[in-house]
């Protein structure tokens, strides 16, 4: 995931080799960067409906952290882990959007099923796979890179800090999701986006 580290006879790292990014991953990177840049611009405009959401600043911090991670991982050519982070965080989103769409069409049972699927996928990808594999690897498997590039120690601490920021934000959103589930299970309410102050969302 982090490329190949060549070591000398004493076991000290001497060379770091990461294959050049392929055209399809290059396109995917810039597609994600374009999306989060546009989402950030929309998020901060006065006309944005996001201003009504309880997690307005959480989402803004998420967008800013994501953009910095995309740019820095592209610059330092650690695109493999960048792609994994993006995929893990994108995987649950279609289920939430489909749940909202079904609710707008008054298909409440299928909407609830999609919302439940979203919650499960969210917790598995963002709160299990992400910290267990990506963050663990970023903290331990990259230590051999530090002496190979004078700028890499800065990237190491900044990038890992941003990865932990995303993990904390995921935890905050998990609380919103569990709040939505508890409302459905214990209060007989409808599944909805618990981040919003508007119960119709």
């Amino acid at each position: 995931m982090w490329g190949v580290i060549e070591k000398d006879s004493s076991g000290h790292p001497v060379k770091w080799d990461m294959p050049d990014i392929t055209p399809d991953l290059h396109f995917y990177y810039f597609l994600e960067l374009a999306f989060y840049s546009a989402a950030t611009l929309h998020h901060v405009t006065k006309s944005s409906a996001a201003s009504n959401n309880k997690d307005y600043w959480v989402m803004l911090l998420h967008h800013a952290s994501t953009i910095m991670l995309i740019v820095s991982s592209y610059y330092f050519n650690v695109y493999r882990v960048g792609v994994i982070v993006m995929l893990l965080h994108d995987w649950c989103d279609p289920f939430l959007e489909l749940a909202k769409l079904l609710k707008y069409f008054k298909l409440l049972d299928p909407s609830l099923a999609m919302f439940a699927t979203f919650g499960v996928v969210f917790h598995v990808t963002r709160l299990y796979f992400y910290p267990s594999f990506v963050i663990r690897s970023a903290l331990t498997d990259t230590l051999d890179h530090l002496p190979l590039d004078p700028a890499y120690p800065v990237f190491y601490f900044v990038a890992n800090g941003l990865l932990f920021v995303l993990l904390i934000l995921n935890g905050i959103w998990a609380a919103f999701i569990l709040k939505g589930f508890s409302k459905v299970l214990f209060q007989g309410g409808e599944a909805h986006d618990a981040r919003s102050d508007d119960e119709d969302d």
Side-chain angles (χ1 to χ4, degrees), residues 2-9 11-19 141-149:
W2 298 98
V4 178
I5 294 289
E6 296 183 12
K7 299 183 179 181
D8 59 21
S9 58
H12 297 105
V14 294
K15 184 181 179 182
W16 170 31
D17 182 34
M18 173 70 82
D141 296 341
T142 60
L143 293 175
D144 285 338
H145 295 67
L146 297 182
L148 299 178
D149 186 337

Side-chain angles (χ1 to χ4, degrees), residues 5 20 23 35 45 65 74 97-98 125 134 141-142 152 156 160 176 178-179 189-190 193 201:
I5 294 289
D20 291 334
F35 169 79
T45 57
S65 300
Y74 182 85
E97 300 307 322
L98 184 57
T125 57
V134 175
D141 296 341
T142 60
Y152 195 84
Y156 175 85
N160 279 303
F176 283 121
L178 293 176
K179 177 182 176 182
E190 297 179 1
D193 189 349
D201 287 346

Side-chain angles (χ1 to χ4, degrees), residues 6 70 80 101 112 145 158 170 181:
E6 296 183 12
I70 291 174
R80 289 178 177 176
L101 180 64
L112 179 58
H145 295 67
V158 172
N170 289 339
F181 275 129

Side-chain angles (χ1 to χ4, degrees), residues 90-106:
D90 288 346
W91 194 252
C92 62
D93 290 341
F95 298 104
L96 177 61
E97 300 307 322
L98 184 57
K100 291 181 179 181
L101 180 64
L102 291 170
K103 183 183 177 183
Y104 294 151
F105 281 102
K106 306 301 181 182

Side-chain angles (χ1 to χ4, degrees), residues 12-113:
H12 297 105
V14 294
K15 184 181 179 182
W16 170 31
D17 182 34
M18 173 70 82
D20 291 334
I21 189 170
T22 59
D24 54 339
L25 293 183
H26 189 276
F27 175 77
Y28 180 54
Y29 246 81
F30 276 85
L31 188 65
E32 288 277 341
L33 180 60
F35 169 79
Y36 281 105
S37 298
T40 302
L41 181 62
H42 172 72
H43 195 77
V44 299
T45 57
K46 293 181 179 180
S47 60
S48 174
S51 60
N52 295 324
N53 284 356
K54 300 171 185 177
D55 70 338
Y56 177 87
W57 292 106
V58 174
M59 184 68 77
L60 185 60
L61 179 59
H62 169 268
H63 288 350
S65 300
T66 301
I67 290 173
M68 287 188 284
L69 280 170
I70 291 174
V71 172
S72 60
S73 62
Y74 182 85
Y75 177 81
F76 281 94
N77 201 33
V78 288
Y79 59 87
R80 289 178 177 176
V81 71
V83 168
I84 292 173
V85 171
M86 289 186 287
L87 287 176
L88 286 176
H89 283 77
D90 288 346
W91 194 252
C92 62
D93 290 341
F95 298 104
L96 177 61
E97 300 307 322
L98 184 57
K100 291 181 179 181
L101 180 64
L102 291 170
K103 183 183 177 183
Y104 294 151
F105 281 102
K106 306 301 181 182
L107 301 172
L108 300 184
D109 288 339
S111 173
L112 179 58

